[in-house]
Amino acid sequence: MSRTRKLTAARLGPRDVLHVGSAGLRSRPVRVVLSALGIAIGIATMIAVVGISASSQAQLLRQLDALGTNMLVAKPGEGMFSGQEVKLPKDAVGMVGRIAGVEEAAGTGDLRSSVRRSEKIPEAETGGIAVKAATEGLLDVLRGGLASGTWLNAATGRYPSVVLGHVAAERLGITGPGRQVWIDDRYFTVIGVLDPLPLAPEIERSALVGWAGAERLLGFDGHPTTVYERSTDASVEDVQQLLAPTIDPQNPQNVSVGDPSSALKAKAATEGAFSTLLLGLGGIALLVGGVGVANTMIISVLERRHEIGLRRSLGATRGQIRIQFVTESLMLSGLGGLAGVALGGAATGVYASTGGLPWVVPLWAVGGGFAATLAIGTVAGLYPAVRASRLSPTLALATA
């Protein structure tokens, strides 16, 4: 009595799966490159959009760290009656400096003066440059720096000397100290030019003279127009509530208090809001790439019917055929994903280097993008794999 032995299919190890899965890719390199290109473009777009947005946000946060978010600005508000001019008290800067939590305070006062290169230039041609009186501590409160020259001090602030904001210096065509500018009816010597001040753009467009010199030479009444203060990080909110009542106890509504860093904070918080559309376009490109992969795999199944029939007749199971073509699809998508990550990172690096930004590519974007390619590769390969596994070995060999 003879027993019939049941045949069992050979098992495919991981190395075998990779070998049979890459066979189709190795035999058609041009088609592989073109199919992977769609995936690569989609992933590169998504990585670049996220990376550029993250780099810009990192630059803004770096600026905020350098400039601080603990500076407040007080200015005259609107009077109780229309047209009423509101002035801050002469000792407003000193009063603010005595508030608990305030580390330093400074002020500027607007002058009814104009600054020109020389007296030969018409008085109406001011170039949009304001003339302001400034206290000695202004540069420290603003955390500003000098591009060249020196800042006003107790000595130079009493005489006809001036420090120019960097925009004012550009408009006047002055690059460093030693030059003279015409203010009202006399020449003032430029002793310094400021670096850019993102938190105080009004200072960038101003010519600054000493407080005492403005009173003695330009008829300044001594009332500050703007008071700047720096407080400890923990006391910013408390100081913001106390500024107006301290400066004008009787009419605190006449004092307007603002946070100049709020614009940068809002910009940092909303950075990347416009990248949603580009992310959507990148996602569409990725889906188109996935369709390309699926189309490539279907054509591959049709062209390799003889191979499929031969493997099935030699004992390969339907599951092994499915694994082969899903693996091939995954490898095709994975190659496109790796190329896309590299291209997206390179595009972000080029943008960051040309714009002077830090190069930031979030790991979640890289991991998420690559995972998306693998998911698309799996989905794109499922139908061709199932179709290949259902081919009859006899028909596949007969029609090959």
PDB file of all heavy atoms in Angstrom, residues 140-172:
ATOM      1  N   ASP A 140      21.104 100.341  24.419  1.00  0.00           N
ATOM      2  CA  ASP A 140      21.098  99.153  25.282  1.00  0.00           C
ATOM      3  C   ASP A 140      19.700  98.552  25.387  1.00  0.00           C
ATOM      4  O   ASP A 140      19.540  97.323  25.355  1.00  0.00           O
ATOM      5  CB  ASP A 140      21.606  99.510  26.680  1.00  0.00           C
ATOM      6  CG  ASP A 140      23.085  99.873  26.679  1.00  0.00           C
ATOM      7  OD1 ASP A 140      23.808  99.376  25.793  1.00  0.00           O
ATOM      8  OD2 ASP A 140      23.502 100.653  27.543  1.00  0.00           O
ATOM      9  N   VAL A 141      18.685  99.409  25.522  1.00  0.00           N
ATOM     10  CA  VAL A 141      17.313  98.903  25.628  1.00  0.00           C
ATOM     11  C   VAL A 141      16.906  98.197  24.333  1.00  0.00           C
ATOM     12  O   VAL A 141      16.248  97.150  24.359  1.00  0.00           O
ATOM     13  CB  VAL A 141      16.341 100.056  25.951  1.00  0.00           C
ATOM     14  CG1 VAL A 141      14.897  99.551  25.940  1.00  0.00           C
ATOM     15  CG2 VAL A 141      16.667 100.663  27.300  1.00  0.00           C
ATOM     16  N   LEU A 142      17.295  98.767  23.195  1.00  0.00           N
ATOM     17  CA  LEU A 142      16.930  98.171  21.912  1.00  0.00           C
ATOM     18  C   LEU A 142      17.799  96.974  21.557  1.00  0.00           C
ATOM     19  O   LEU A 142      17.523  96.280  20.587  1.00  0.00           O
ATOM     20  CB  LEU A 142      17.048  99.221  20.801  1.00  0.00           C
ATOM     21  CG  LEU A 142      16.114 100.431  20.891  1.00  0.00           C
ATOM     22  CD1 LEU A 142      16.375 101.380  19.735  1.00  0.00           C
ATOM     23  CD2 LEU A 142      14.661 100.004  20.900  1.00  0.00           C
ATOM     24  N   ARG A 143      18.853  96.732  22.345  1.00  0.00           N
ATOM     25  CA  ARG A 143      19.820  95.683  22.044  1.00  0.00           C
ATOM     26  C   ARG A 143      20.373  95.852  20.637  1.00  0.00           C
ATOM     27  O   ARG A 143      20.522  94.889  19.869  1.00  0.00           O
ATOM     28  CB  ARG A 143      19.205  94.292  22.215  1.00  0.00           C
ATOM     29  CG  ARG A 143      18.892  93.950  23.654  1.00  0.00           C
ATOM     30  CD  ARG A 143      18.426  92.513  23.814  1.00  0.00           C
ATOM     31  NE  ARG A 143      18.082  92.212  25.193  1.00  0.00           N
ATOM     32  CZ  ARG A 143      17.548  91.077  25.607  1.00  0.00           C
ATOM     33  NH1 ARG A 143      17.288  90.126  24.731  1.00  0.00           N
ATOM     34  NH2 ARG A 143      17.268  90.883  26.885  1.00  0.00           N
ATOM     35  N   GLY A 144      20.655  97.088  20.317  1.00  0.00           N
ATOM     36  CA  GLY A 144      21.175  97.413  19.004  1.00  0.00           C
ATOM     37  C   GLY A 144      22.684  97.446  18.986  1.00  0.00           C
ATOM     38  O   GLY A 144      23.350  97.370  20.020  1.00  0.00           O
ATOM     39  N   GLY A 145      23.226  97.541  17.795  1.00  0.00           N
ATOM     40  CA  GLY A 145      24.668  97.609  17.615  1.00  0.00           C
ATOM     41  C   GLY A 145      25.026  98.691  16.630  1.00  0.00           C
ATOM     42  O   GLY A 145      24.169  99.258  15.937  1.00  0.00           O
ATOM     43  N   LEU A 146      26.287  99.009  16.562  1.00  0.00           N
ATOM     44  CA  LEU A 146      26.790 100.045  15.670  1.00  0.00           C
ATOM     45  C   LEU A 146      27.513  99.396  14.493  1.00  0.00           C
ATOM     46  O   LEU A 146      28.387  98.547  14.678  1.00  0.00           O
ATOM     47  CB  LEU A 146      27.749 100.972  16.415  1.00  0.00           C
ATOM     48  CG  LEU A 146      27.093 101.962  17.387  1.00  0.00           C
ATOM     49  CD1 LEU A 146      28.088 102.418  18.425  1.00  0.00           C
ATOM     50  CD2 LEU A 146      26.528 103.158  16.626  1.00  0.00           C
ATOM     51  N   ALA A 147      27.102  99.793  13.294  1.00  0.00           N
ATOM     52  CA  ALA A 147      27.832  99.334  12.112  1.00  0.00           C
ATOM     53  C   ALA A 147      29.192  99.995  12.046  1.00  0.00           C
ATOM     54  O   ALA A 147      30.169  99.397  11.583  1.00  0.00           O
ATOM     55  CB  ALA A 147      27.025  99.627  10.852  1.00  0.00           C
ATOM     56  N   SER A 148      29.268 101.234  12.533  1.00  0.00           N
ATOM     57  CA  SER A 148      30.538 101.961  12.585  1.00  0.00           C
ATOM     58  C   SER A 148      30.377 103.140  13.530  1.00  0.00           C
ATOM     59  O   SER A 148      29.267 103.605  13.786  1.00  0.00           O
ATOM     60  CB  SER A 148      30.949 102.451  11.185  1.00  0.00           C
ATOM     61  OG  SER A 148      29.956 103.309  10.639  1.00  0.00           O
ATOM     62  N   GLY A 149      31.490 103.611  14.063  1.00  0.00           N
ATOM     63  CA  GLY A 149      31.455 104.781  14.919  1.00  0.00           C
ATOM     64  C   GLY A 149      31.099 104.478  16.355  1.00  0.00           C
ATOM     65  O   GLY A 149      31.245 103.348  16.839  1.00  0.00           O
ATOM     66  N   THR A 150      30.604 105.488  17.063  1.00  0.00           N
ATOM     67  CA  THR A 150      30.254 105.380  18.476  1.00  0.00           C
ATOM     68  C   THR A 150      28.844 105.889  18.714  1.00  0.00           C
ATOM     69  O   THR A 150      28.252 106.578  17.886  1.00  0.00           O
ATOM     70  CB  THR A 150      31.236 106.189  19.341  1.00  0.00           C
ATOM     71  OG1 THR A 150      31.177 107.575  18.935  1.00  0.00           O
ATOM     72  CG2 THR A 150      32.656 105.688  19.179  1.00  0.00           C
ATOM     73  N   TRP A 151      28.327 105.566  19.910  1.00  0.00           N
ATOM     74  CA  TRP A 151      26.990 105.984  20.304  1.00  0.00           C
ATOM     75  C   TRP A 151      27.088 107.299  21.079  1.00  0.00           C
ATOM     76  O   TRP A 151      28.158 107.720  21.522  1.00  0.00           O
ATOM     77  CB  TRP A 151      26.329 104.891  21.125  1.00  0.00           C
ATOM     78  CG  TRP A 151      24.967 105.241  21.666  1.00  0.00           C
ATOM     79  CD1 TRP A 151      24.611 105.349  22.972  1.00  0.00           C
ATOM     80  CD2 TRP A 151      23.789 105.534  20.915  1.00  0.00           C
ATOM     81  NE1 TRP A 151      23.287 105.675  23.100  1.00  0.00           N
ATOM     82  CE2 TRP A 151      22.741 105.802  21.836  1.00  0.00           C
ATOM     83  CE3 TRP A 151      23.499 105.605  19.563  1.00  0.00           C
ATOM     84  CZ2 TRP A 151      21.460 106.135  21.463  1.00  0.00           C
ATOM     85  CZ3 TRP A 151      22.207 105.930  19.171  1.00  0.00           C
ATOM     86  CH2 TRP A 151      21.209 106.183  20.107  1.00  0.00           C
ATOM     87  N   LEU A 152      25.953 107.949  21.243  1.00  0.00           N
ATOM     88  CA  LEU A 152      25.884 109.200  21.994  1.00  0.00           C
ATOM     89  C   LEU A 152      26.200 108.967  23.470  1.00  0.00           C
ATOM     90  O   LEU A 152      25.748 107.980  24.055  1.00  0.00           O
ATOM     91  CB  LEU A 152      24.485 109.806  21.855  1.00  0.00           C
ATOM     92  CG  LEU A 152      24.052 110.191  20.425  1.00  0.00           C
ATOM     93  CD1 LEU A 152      22.547 110.377  20.375  1.00  0.00           C
ATOM     94  CD2 LEU A 152      24.771 111.438  19.960  1.00  0.00           C
ATOM     95  N   ASN A 153      26.914 109.869  24.056  1.00  0.00           N
ATOM     96  CA  ASN A 153      27.192 109.805  25.490  1.00  0.00           C
ATOM     97  C   ASN A 153      26.985 111.178  26.107  1.00  0.00           C
ATOM     98  O   ASN A 153      26.530 112.117  25.436  1.00  0.00           O
ATOM     99  CB  ASN A 153      28.604 109.278  25.758  1.00  0.00           C
ATOM    100  CG  ASN A 153      29.678 110.081  25.042  1.00  0.00           C
ATOM    101  OD1 ASN A 153      29.597 111.315  24.959  1.00  0.00           O
ATOM    102  ND2 ASN A 153      30.681 109.398  24.524  1.00  0.00           N
ATOM    103  N   ALA A 154      27.334 111.310  27.384  1.00  0.00           N
ATOM    104  CA  ALA A 154      27.081 112.563  28.084  1.00  0.00           C
ATOM    105  C   ALA A 154      27.829 113.731  27.451  1.00  0.00           C
ATOM    106  O   ALA A 154      27.361 114.879  27.495  1.00  0.00           O
ATOM    107  CB  ALA A 154      27.479 112.419  29.549  1.00  0.00           C
ATOM    108  N   ALA A 155      28.983 113.468  26.855  1.00  0.00           N
ATOM    109  CA  ALA A 155      29.765 114.543  26.252  1.00  0.00           C
ATOM    110  C   ALA A 155      29.272 114.881  24.845  1.00  0.00           C
ATOM    111  O   ALA A 155      28.901 116.017  24.552  1.00  0.00           O
ATOM    112  CB  ALA A 155      31.243 114.150  26.213  1.00  0.00           C
ATOM    113  N   THR A 156      29.244 113.870  23.960  1.00  0.00           N
ATOM    114  CA  THR A 156      28.857 114.137  22.573  1.00  0.00           C
ATOM    115  C   THR A 156      27.392 114.516  22.461  1.00  0.00           C
ATOM    116  O   THR A 156      26.994 115.198  21.506  1.00  0.00           O
ATOM    117  CB  THR A 156      29.142 112.905  21.702  1.00  0.00           C
ATOM    118  OG1 THR A 156      28.422 111.774  22.238  1.00  0.00           O
ATOM    119  CG2 THR A 156      30.616 112.584  21.666  1.00  0.00           C
ATOM    120  N   GLY A 157      26.558 114.060  23.411  1.00  0.00           N
ATOM    121  CA  GLY A 157      25.133 114.377  23.346  1.00  0.00           C
ATOM    122  C   GLY A 157      24.808 115.839  23.587  1.00  0.00           C
ATOM    123  O   GLY A 157      23.679 116.270  23.329  1.00  0.00           O
ATOM    124  N   ARG A 158      25.752 116.633  24.065  1.00  0.00           N
ATOM    125  CA  ARG A 158      25.510 118.051  24.313  1.00  0.00           C
ATOM    126  C   ARG A 158      25.873 118.923  23.122  1.00  0.00           C
ATOM    127  O   ARG A 158      25.510 120.101  23.082  1.00  0.00           O
ATOM    128  CB  ARG A 158      26.310 118.509  25.532  1.00  0.00           C
ATOM    129  CG  ARG A 158      25.917 117.851  26.838  1.00  0.00           C
ATOM    130  CD  ARG A 158      26.710 118.413  27.992  1.00  0.00           C
ATOM    131  NE  ARG A 158      26.524 119.862  28.085  1.00  0.00           N
ATOM    132  CZ  ARG A 158      25.506 120.456  28.712  1.00  0.00           C
ATOM    133  NH1 ARG A 158      24.572 119.707  29.293  1.00  0.00           N
ATOM    134  NH2 ARG A 158      25.420 121.771  28.753  1.00  0.00           N
ATOM    135  N   TYR A 159      26.572 118.355  22.177  1.00  0.00           N
ATOM    136  CA  TYR A 159      27.082 119.132  21.052  1.00  0.00           C
ATOM    137  C   TYR A 159      26.451 118.674  19.741  1.00  0.00           C
ATOM    138  O   TYR A 159      25.747 117.663  19.696  1.00  0.00           O
ATOM    139  CB  TYR A 159      28.610 119.023  21.017  1.00  0.00           C
ATOM    140  CG  TYR A 159      29.262 119.601  22.248  1.00  0.00           C
ATOM    141  CD1 TYR A 159      29.633 118.777  23.309  1.00  0.00           C
ATOM    142  CD2 TYR A 159      29.464 120.974  22.357  1.00  0.00           C
ATOM    143  CE1 TYR A 159      30.208 119.315  24.455  1.00  0.00           C
ATOM    144  CE2 TYR A 159      30.039 121.519  23.501  1.00  0.00           C
ATOM    145  CZ  TYR A 159      30.404 120.686  24.543  1.00  0.00           C
ATOM    146  OH  TYR A 159      30.957 121.226  25.683  1.00  0.00           O
ATOM    147  N   PRO A 160      26.685 119.412  18.657  1.00  0.00           N
ATOM    148  CA  PRO A 160      26.065 119.055  17.366  1.00  0.00           C
ATOM    149  C   PRO A 160      26.653 117.771  16.767  1.00  0.00           C
ATOM    150  O   PRO A 160      27.468 117.815  15.842  1.00  0.00           O
ATOM    151  CB  PRO A 160      26.334 120.281  16.493  1.00  0.00           C
ATOM    152  CG  PRO A 160      27.495 120.959  17.103  1.00  0.00           C
ATOM    153  CD  PRO A 160      27.409 120.690  18.569  1.00  0.00           C
ATOM    154  N   SER A 161      26.260 116.668  17.326  1.00  0.00           N
ATOM    155  CA  SER A 161      26.666 115.351  16.821  1.00  0.00           C
ATOM    156  C   SER A 161      25.412 114.522  16.617  1.00  0.00           C
ATOM    157  O   SER A 161      24.395 114.722  17.294  1.00  0.00           O
ATOM    158  CB  SER A 161      27.627 114.666  17.794  1.00  0.00           C
ATOM    159  OG  SER A 161      27.042 114.560  19.083  1.00  0.00           O
ATOM    160  N   VAL A 162      25.474 113.555  15.722  1.00  0.00           N
ATOM    161  CA  VAL A 162      24.294 112.787  15.355  1.00  0.00           C
ATOM    162  C   VAL A 162      24.688 111.344  15.035  1.00  0.00           C
ATOM    163  O   VAL A 162      25.776 111.091  14.519  1.00  0.00           O
ATOM    164  CB  VAL A 162      23.565 113.438  14.151  1.00  0.00           C
ATOM    165  CG1 VAL A 162      24.478 113.465  12.916  1.00  0.00           C
ATOM    166  CG2 VAL A 162      22.264 112.719  13.828  1.00  0.00           C
ATOM    167  N   VAL A 163      23.803 110.427  15.392  1.00  0.00           N
ATOM    168  CA  VAL A 163      23.945 109.018  15.016  1.00  0.00           C
ATOM    169  C   VAL A 163      22.808 108.683  14.056  1.00  0.00           C
ATOM    170  O   VAL A 163      21.642 109.007  14.330  1.00  0.00           O
ATOM    171  CB  VAL A 163      23.898 108.098  16.256  1.00  0.00           C
ATOM    172  CG1 VAL A 163      23.905 106.632  15.822  1.00  0.00           C
ATOM    173  CG2 VAL A 163      25.079 108.375  17.165  1.00  0.00           C
ATOM    174  N   LEU A 164      23.119 108.030  12.952  1.00  0.00           N
ATOM    175  CA  LEU A 164      22.126 107.743  11.919  1.00  0.00           C
ATOM    176  C   LEU A 164      21.687 106.277  11.977  1.00  0.00           C
ATOM    177  O   LEU A 164      22.518 105.378  12.157  1.00  0.00           O
ATOM    178  CB  LEU A 164      22.698 108.040  10.531  1.00  0.00           C
ATOM    179  CG  LEU A 164      23.154 109.476  10.263  1.00  0.00           C
ATOM    180  CD1 LEU A 164      23.776 109.568   8.871  1.00  0.00           C
ATOM    181  CD2 LEU A 164      21.991 110.454  10.391  1.00  0.00           C
ATOM    182  N   GLY A 165      20.380 106.073  11.836  1.00  0.00           N
ATOM    183  CA  GLY A 165      19.892 104.724  11.609  1.00  0.00           C
ATOM    184  C   GLY A 165      20.379 104.230  10.260  1.00  0.00           C
ATOM    185  O   GLY A 165      20.708 105.036   9.373  1.00  0.00           O
ATOM    186  N   HIS A 166      20.431 102.911  10.065  1.00  0.00           N
ATOM    187  CA  HIS A 166      21.071 102.413   8.846  1.00  0.00           C
ATOM    188  C   HIS A 166      20.294 102.792   7.586  1.00  0.00           C
ATOM    189  O   HIS A 166      20.898 103.041   6.537  1.00  0.00           O
ATOM    190  CB  HIS A 166      21.273 100.896   8.936  1.00  0.00           C
ATOM    191  CG  HIS A 166      20.120 100.075   8.451  1.00  0.00           C
ATOM    192  ND1 HIS A 166      18.977  99.886   9.174  1.00  0.00           N
ATOM    193  CD2 HIS A 166      19.938  99.392   7.287  1.00  0.00           C
ATOM    194  CE1 HIS A 166      18.141  99.121   8.500  1.00  0.00           C
ATOM    195  NE2 HIS A 166      18.697  98.808   7.356  1.00  0.00           N
ATOM    196  N   VAL A 167      18.956 102.902   7.665  1.00  0.00           N
ATOM    197  CA  VAL A 167      18.178 103.336   6.501  1.00  0.00           C
ATOM    198  C   VAL A 167      18.428 104.821   6.233  1.00  0.00           C
ATOM    199  O   VAL A 167      18.599 105.240   5.083  1.00  0.00           O
ATOM    200  CB  VAL A 167      16.677 103.072   6.725  1.00  0.00           C
ATOM    201  CG1 VAL A 167      15.843 103.647   5.580  1.00  0.00           C
ATOM    202  CG2 VAL A 167      16.416 101.576   6.862  1.00  0.00           C
ATOM    203  N   ALA A 168      18.464 105.607   7.287  1.00  0.00           N
ATOM    204  CA  ALA A 168      18.749 107.032   7.130  1.00  0.00           C
ATOM    205  C   ALA A 168      20.124 107.249   6.521  1.00  0.00           C
ATOM    206  O   ALA A 168      20.307 108.114   5.648  1.00  0.00           O
ATOM    207  CB  ALA A 168      18.646 107.734   8.483  1.00  0.00           C
ATOM    208  N   ALA A 169      21.106 106.464   6.965  1.00  0.00           N
ATOM    209  CA  ALA A 169      22.458 106.603   6.417  1.00  0.00           C
ATOM    210  C   ALA A 169      22.487 106.259   4.936  1.00  0.00           C
ATOM    211  O   ALA A 169      23.159 106.936   4.136  1.00  0.00           O
ATOM    212  CB  ALA A 169      23.421 105.707   7.195  1.00  0.00           C
ATOM    213  N   GLU A 170      21.763 105.216   4.540  1.00  0.00           N
ATOM    214  CA  GLU A 170      21.718 104.852   3.128  1.00  0.00           C
ATOM    215  C   GLU A 170      21.092 105.953   2.295  1.00  0.00           C
ATOM    216  O   GLU A 170      21.581 106.274   1.204  1.00  0.00           O
ATOM    217  CB  GLU A 170      20.933 103.549   2.958  1.00  0.00           C
ATOM    218  CG  GLU A 170      21.652 102.313   3.483  1.00  0.00           C
ATOM    219  CD  GLU A 170      20.784 101.066   3.375  1.00  0.00           C
ATOM    220  OE1 GLU A 170      19.610 101.198   2.951  1.00  0.00           O
ATOM    221  OE2 GLU A 170      21.273  99.977   3.726  1.00  0.00           O
ATOM    222  N   ARG A 171      20.010 106.542   2.793  1.00  0.00           N
ATOM    223  CA  ARG A 171      19.340 107.593   2.029  1.00  0.00           C
ATOM    224  C   ARG A 171      20.181 108.865   1.929  1.00  0.00           C
ATOM    225  O   ARG A 171      20.066 109.615   0.958  1.00  0.00           O
ATOM    226  CB  ARG A 171      17.985 107.900   2.672  1.00  0.00           C
ATOM    227  CG  ARG A 171      16.997 106.750   2.544  1.00  0.00           C
ATOM    228  CD  ARG A 171      15.683 107.044   3.241  1.00  0.00           C
ATOM    229  NE  ARG A 171      14.769 105.903   3.134  1.00  0.00           N
ATOM    230  CZ  ARG A 171      13.569 105.858   3.708  1.00  0.00           C
ATOM    231  NH1 ARG A 171      13.142 106.875   4.443  1.00  0.00           N
ATOM    232  NH2 ARG A 171      12.805 104.786   3.557  1.00  0.00           N
ATOM    233  N   LEU A 172      21.001 109.096   2.923  1.00  0.00           N
ATOM    234  CA  LEU A 172      21.878 110.263   2.900  1.00  0.00           C
ATOM    235  C   LEU A 172      23.205 109.969   2.196  1.00  0.00           C
ATOM    236  O   LEU A 172      24.011 110.883   1.985  1.00  0.00           O
ATOM    237  CB  LEU A 172      22.150 110.753   4.327  1.00  0.00           C
ATOM    238  CG  LEU A 172      20.967 111.377   5.061  1.00  0.00           C
ATOM    239  CD1 LEU A 172      21.296 111.594   6.528  1.00  0.00           C
ATOM    240  CD2 LEU A 172      20.556 112.698   4.401  1.00  0.00           C
TER     241      LEU A 172
END
